[in-house]
């Protein structure tokens, strides 16, 4: 079993309130979940209206499939015109990790 996680640090465009922030972040979270069947949530910077941290997690029996899935998730977020992807942190845990 292999577990992969991504943590996206994103800067939101012209957002002036937490309500506007939700209107940008929620569709990204929903699309990642719908398209790729991954677990995804806003996991940080909830009190800042121009920043968001989105976490993604997936489990697979094949490390190649998991790597490809995480790559596609990253490309989807990076391609969103309403956000700027500041950084991505990727973690990969395999069967032989302690």
């Amino acid at each position: 079993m292999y577990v992969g996680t991504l943590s996206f640090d994103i800067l939101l465009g012209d957002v002036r309130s937490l309500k506007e922030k939700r209107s940008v972040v929620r569709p990204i979270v929903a699309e990642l979940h719908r398209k790729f069947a991954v677990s995804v949530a806003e996991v940080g910077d909830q009190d800042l209206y121009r920043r968001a941290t989105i976490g993604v997690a997936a489990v697979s029996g094949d490390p190649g499939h998991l790597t490809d899935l995480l790559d596609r998730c990253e490309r989807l977020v990076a391609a969103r015109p309403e956000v700027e992807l500041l950084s991505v942190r990727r973690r990969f845990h395999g069967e032989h990790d302690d």
Side-chain angles (χ1 to χ4, degrees), residues 55-89:
V56 173
V59 176
S60 177
D62 176 20
H65 170 72
L66 188 57
T67 299
D68 181 55
L69 177 65
L70 296 178
D71 288 345
R72 288 185 284 148
C73 289
E74 186 174 340
R75 284 193 299 270
L76 183 140
V77 174
R80 298 294 293 235
E82 68 273 20
V83 300
E84 180 182 343
L85 184 56
L86 299 176
S87 68
V88 179
R89 182 174 184 168

Side-chain angles (χ1 to χ4, degrees), residues 18 21 42 44-49 51:
L18 293 175
K21 175 185 179 176
E42 183 180 1
D45 297 323
Q46 281 100 344
D47 57 336
L48 302 175
Y49 64 88
R51 294 286 290 273

